[in-house]
Amino acid sequence: MVTEKKIGDKTVFLCDVCGLGYSDEKTAQDCEDYCKAHPGSCSVEISQKAVYFPDTPVLPKK
Ligand SMILES: [Zn+2]
């Protein structure tokens, strides 16, 4: 389940696993699917499209 979040006058879609936010729901869903299939690692291809980064990253640091 992707979470919709309002930031200022923008809406971003958050991956529920890693917490990164995307400007479209489809990409956020792609990220979430990837995160669920590959716990602890994000797809570089997907995460480079992120427009929002959580203050407290959910991903463990390497
Ligand atoms: Zn993710």
Side-chain angles (χ1 to χ4, degrees):
M1 256 304 283
V2 167
T3 303
E4 211 176 313
K5 185 180 166 82
K6 270 249 174 210
I7 298 174
D9 59 351
K10 281 182 187 166
T11 302
V12 295
F13 298 91
L14 303 180
C15 167
D16 273 352
V17 181
C18 68
L20 290 178
Y22 299 90
S23 55
D24 68 289
E25 191 173 359
K26 166 90 174 63
T27 309
Q29 188 63 62
D30 285 349
C31 182
E32 197 170 299
D33 289 345
Y34 187 95
C35 286
K36 278 178 182 159
H38 306 84
S41 73
C42 257
S43 164
V44 174
E45 206 171 301
I46 297 171
S47 63
Q48 71 184 357
K49 295 182 204 159
V51 293
Y52 171 79
F53 299 88
D55 294 334
T56 311
V58 183
L59 278 179
K61 288 208 167 84
K62 278 176 190 163

